[in-house]
Amino acid sequence: MDLKAGEVAVVTGAASGIGLALAHRFAQAGLRIAMVDVEVERLNEAVEAVAATGAEAVGFTCDVRTADAVNDLATRVVEQFGGVQILCNNAGVADTGDPWFGPIESWDWVLGVNFYGVVHGVRAFLPHLFGGGHIINTASMAGLFPGLSPIYDASKHAVVALTENLYHQMNLIEAPIGVSCLCPGWVRTGIFDAERNWPAELGQRPESSPVVETVKGHLERAIAEGLTPAAVADLVVDAVTENRFWVFPHPDWLEMAADRWQLVAEGTNPEPPNSVPGMPPRDQLAAEIRTALGLG
Ligand SMILES: NC(=O)c1ccc[n+]([C@@H]2O[C@H](COP(=O)([O-])OP(=O)(O)OC[C@H]3O[C@@H](n4cnc5c(N)ncnc54)[C@H](O)[C@@H]3O)[C@@H](O)[C@H]2O)c1
């Protein structure tokens, strides 16, 4: 669909990173923006920054993990703007806890934000989009092949699956609703520090797992050297206007996903990629992790 001035975009996770860049990009196109986040101070600053460009931007505090909160958000957004055309289910977090020996709350948190946040967003806003609209769900390249984080990767695989299903269903019923799935590699955002939003009601923030402790220097550098969020936002707008499902800001990563599927098709046991861009080669990483785990 073409973006028209005055249309309304809802962006979750809009206080930082990709979400903030999306808000700026939609503002540039003349849209009115509902900027949604759980981090109040940062959200206020972000709304001010977008509004300073002359756009109509309104901040909505909401924790996307809860269905009631997102349903209430949809009511408030429609009351404020009269309707919605673009929905970006983008809020996301990455964990550092040990998936197998650490607290189960790491799973609750990451799946709550990354997966249920998207489920709640689609369910709450879909009824408002039948006048014509587009949904963009932020997954990750980690949704196309498993990497180093079982919890994060599982959440993103689930987002890819639900988004592809949604696309088929919208087409089947000939709904005037486009669907896109955003799968970035490394992007220069605040994701490395995601546990700043660890919810108090889940108890103590889990200790970092030995694997995360080992790779965190590499991750931090890869993210710091990643693509700019603004470049990702441009690609999202292109995908909306061209009605394209996949948004791949890092096409060079696709070979790893294709290699994975080749093994699946052959029924061959899984092999991790030899090297992920921005990370050390697999052998070096494996040696570092084995040492950290005391395996020599
Ligand atoms: N940065 C990367 O390298 C990368 C790569 C692939 C996918 N992604 C995905 O991009 C999306 C955006 O992340 P980012 O990289 O811009 O990180 P970011 O930390 O800069 O932004 C994420 C935003 O989500 C918000 N948020 C967290 N929990 C929330 C909740 N419960 N309810 C509402 N908002 C919440 C945060 O406050 C933050 O403003 C995420 O879904 C992430 O998984 C990022």
Side-chain angles (χ1 to χ4, degrees):
M1 68 183 266
D2 287 329
L3 295 180
K4 294 185 200 75
E7 286 182 338
V8 176
V10 179
V11 182
T12 69
S16 172
I18 296 171
L20 177 54
L22 284 167
H24 273 293
R25 185 61 188 79
F26 290 130
Q28 206 183 316
L31 271 67
R32 298 178 289 156
I33 306 115
M35 296 175 62
V36 182
D37 210 285
V38 79
E39 213 177 341
V40 180
E41 248 174 62
R42 258 185 146 155
L43 176 63
N44 291 340
E45 286 166 17
V47 170
E48 250 177 58
V50 174
T53 66
E56 189 178 335
V58 179
F60 294 85
T61 307
C62 174
D63 185 335
V64 298
R65 290 178 304 146
T66 323
D68 285 350
V70 183
N71 290 335
D72 178 57
L73 168 74
T75 306
R76 287 188 288 151
V77 167
V78 171
E79 266 171 23
Q80 172 80 34
F81 291 110
V84 177
Q85 284 72 42
I86 303 285
L87 170 66
C88 298
N89 289 307
N90 167 77
V93 292
D95 59 294
T96 61
D98 192 305
W100 315 126
F101 302 104
I104 192 66
E105 283 79 8
S106 289
W107 288 90
D108 295 338
W109 179 53
V110 175
L111 288 168
V113 182
N114 295 7
F115 172 59
Y116 275 105
V118 176
V119 173
H120 297 150
V122 173
R123 286 168 55 92
F125 284 96
L126 195 55
H128 301 289
L129 293 172
F130 278 87
H134 202 108
I135 298 175
I136 303 99
N137 292 337
T138 303
S140 167
M141 285 307 296
L144 297 175
F145 64 91
L148 278 171
S149 170
I151 308 179
Y152 185 81
D153 297 354
S155 74
K156 295 301 186 178
H157 274 69
V159 172
V160 170
L162 89 82
T163 308
E164 214 169 323
N165 256 294
L166 181 65
Y167 176 84
H168 290 316
Q169 288 171 351
M170 292 302 104
N171 281 344
L172 186 75
I173 63 171
E174 298 181 358
I177 301 171
V179 178
S180 298
C181 186
L182 169 60
C183 295
W186 308 124
V187 186
R188 220 176 300 163
T189 69
I191 191 99
F192 186 74
D193 185 27
E195 285 187 347
R196 66 187 183 276
N197 285 312
W198 178 262
E201 84 271 10
L202 293 185
Q204 282 272 61
R205 239 165 82 157
E207 271 177 40
S208 287
S209 71
V211 173
V212 169
E213 278 301 306
T214 310
V215 300
K216 79 177 184 192
H218 302 308
L219 284 175
E220 193 170 13
R221 186 185 26 76
I223 290 168
E225 292 171 357
L227 207 57
T228 62
V232 176
D234 283 343
L235 294 173
V236 168
V237 167
D238 291 348
V240 172
T241 51
E242 292 161 17
N243 196 20
R244 244 185 313 106
F245 180 77
W246 294 113
V247 189
F248 290 132
H250 298 79
D252 51 322
W253 288 51
L254 286 172
E255 204 178 311
M256 289 182 288
D259 288 349
R260 186 258 178 142
W261 278 103
Q262 182 60 35
L263 296 179
V264 174
E266 290 165 0
T268 304
N269 287 352
E271 289 266 351
N274 276 329
S275 75
V276 172
M279 296 294 274
R282 173 171 108 199
D283 290 351
Q284 182 191 328
L285 209 53
E288 288 179 18
I289 291 170
R290 288 182 66 81
T291 305
L293 294 174
L295 299 171

